Amino acid sequence: MFRKILIANRGEIACRIIKTARQLGVSTVAVYSEADRNALHVKLADVAVCIGGAAPKDSYLRGDAIIAAALQTGVEAIHPGYGFLSENPDLVDAVKAAGLVFIGPSADAIRAMGLKDAAKALMEKAGVPVVPGYHGDNQDGAFLAQQAERIGYPVLIKAVAGGGGKGMRRVESAGEFADALRSAKAEAANAFGNDAVLIEKYVAAPRHIEVQVFGDGIDAVHLFERDCSLQRRHQKVIEEAPAPGMTLQMRGAMGSAAVKAAKAIGYSGAGTIEFIVDGSEGLRPDRFWFMEMNTRLQVEHPVTEAVTGLDLVEWQLRVASGERLPLGQDDIRLNGHAFEARLYAEDVDAGFLPSTGRLAHLAFPTNCRADTGVRTGDEISPWYDPMIAKIITHGPTRDIALSKLSRALDEAQVAGTVTNLTFLAALSRHEGFAKGEVDTGLIARDLAALTAKPESRRREMAMAGLAALHAAAIPNDPLAGFSLWAPLEQCVALEEAGEMLEVRLQLTHPDQAQASIEGDVFTAVRRGSGWSLEGQPDAQVVEAEGYHVFSSGHLLSFRLHDPLDRDQSAGPGGDVTLAPMPGLVRAMLVQAGETVEAGQPLCVLEAMKMEHTLKAARAGRVAEVFVSEGTQISAGDPLVQLEPEAVPHG
Ligand code: ADP
């Protein structure tokens, strides 16, 4: 086993690798960017080295700086984590040339699987079923349209260098093909510097089922499957193992196809073979096809760890240090069921817009595994993936594991940035999902129900009012809680998202109070150091830069209203579109003098590796455009101003 390794990554995966290394007695070196100076992975590692600026290209994507840090600190091996340079064969070559070990597959194996088209050709040769389609070199538009026709609509256009669903377009009919091809190619060129695409049959009722494989360069085994069908725009949201409805026959067929794929390239280390499955008639061994291989550890590897009881990072370190596979196929057992939900800083109501912010409060329940790279007080910065944590639960049955997931999501507490927590909790209670009826279209189909708002939030307002009253630290005392010398009725003014709310509080008994909000009356009893609403599950109130009320997966945040605050609505009021986050202006779609409709796209912003279209809040005429294509902007920068709305004279 190695004595010291360097982790060329950040966030939760760096922390997760450090944890296993420590258990194995291996010392760790973290690398970090200037933006991550105080990050959790830096704190957890034994030694940390700064490798450059905040932008990934100035730090986590700099192979030379990473290898220099490795040599300087005297490590024997480098673990790449996932993302960043994890599937970059040039790094593998450079690591080897520096006399170090890369904890992962060979450069050749990564190259063989690097491009979707070449990988498909290789798999076809190895006898692994691949999706019917065209994955040749001819990129002529008319020719590709012909191929789409031959394959039969609907088809999927995919960037051969693709990842994360980018450069991918579903095309329903021949009429849409040319446009879809153009936009897929543009996105691919921009994201991967390679605009080549392939065309695939779009599989009906598609399910994404992937098989975890492990090789030691000589032998290979599989560690069963994961179902990652719950996706939004081709990105995984909740993953599970095993796949619902999986049969022994189908698992056998998929497992041996995956092992065949791994052996075909003499694979060493952890890898994933992703298959697309036609689930329209249940799981059938003749209805799964190879999509691609990921030659690294996956984000969702913890569900496999939960159902096998194995530590995949331990296996990676052991195999990379020269050991043979720790277990043979027959010794790997499947136990129970596991789920993983990806908790993101993102604004679900704004179309899942990635968000930033300082985590005023972050806490996870104990009845789950929470893999995270951040703590209370940390920043979700615009530079990196806005994932906050992965919440993983395990149970003897799917039902139990899913109930545990719902509960863990309800009990997780994040304040300071918007998150998808409520959305995940709703998803974990989705009826079809509970029955195991999953496919990649489920979220899009039921989005309205999954993002529905709770009918009333008065209960939470009452809780916040009580907490505010109770808090001792309020200046000038008018709200210093009920006491012998304070009036028995008080009013607390709270502010939520710019709106003022008044909660009237009355002490009816030393241990009982009433909170009323516009006629709705709630009775609260004193319990411990806080108040509980009678007959209702406890909501947790956390005071951290305002009041955050957590109740059954919902969060409402309030500030005490300061009457001295000026009304700020005069500024924006729908006239000015502000940048919701820092980023780069990719396209400015309007110019001064132009008339726009409400909802009309104004400009395209690239932030956090994704494109976001900002739309007009109302109809009007563009008075001024403040930025142009290529401008780097900060959150809150004005982008486009509309002429003020005409005020009718009376
Ligand atoms: P990326 O590498 O960009 O993530 P993948 O090839 O892994 O792209 O595909 C991502 C997702 O797109 C899959 O999980 C699946 O939901 C969907 N998908 C891919 N290929 C097909 C197909 N042929 N038919 C239907 N859906 C597909």
Side-chain angles (χ1 to χ4, degrees), residues 154-179:
V155 299
L156 201 61
I157 301 174
K158 273 189 192 178
V160 302
K166 281 213 201 93
M168 190 142 85
R169 295 286 182 284
R170 177 183 159 156
V171 192
E172 297 298 324
S173 64
E176 300 166 13
F177 188 83
D179 269 354

Side-chain angles (χ1 to χ4, degrees), residues 24 37 48 84 117 136 149-150 155 180 187 214 277 352 366 371 379 423 441 449 484 513 586 606 641 646:
L24 300 176
R37 198 165 286 282
F84 295 127
D117 53 349
E149 203 68 53
R150 175 185 63 80
V155 299
E187 198 170 294
F214 230 101
V277 176
F352 295 83
T366 50
D371 281 15
E379 197 82 37
F423 168 73
L484 283 178
R586 270 261 159 249
E606 188 185 286
Q641 178 157 26

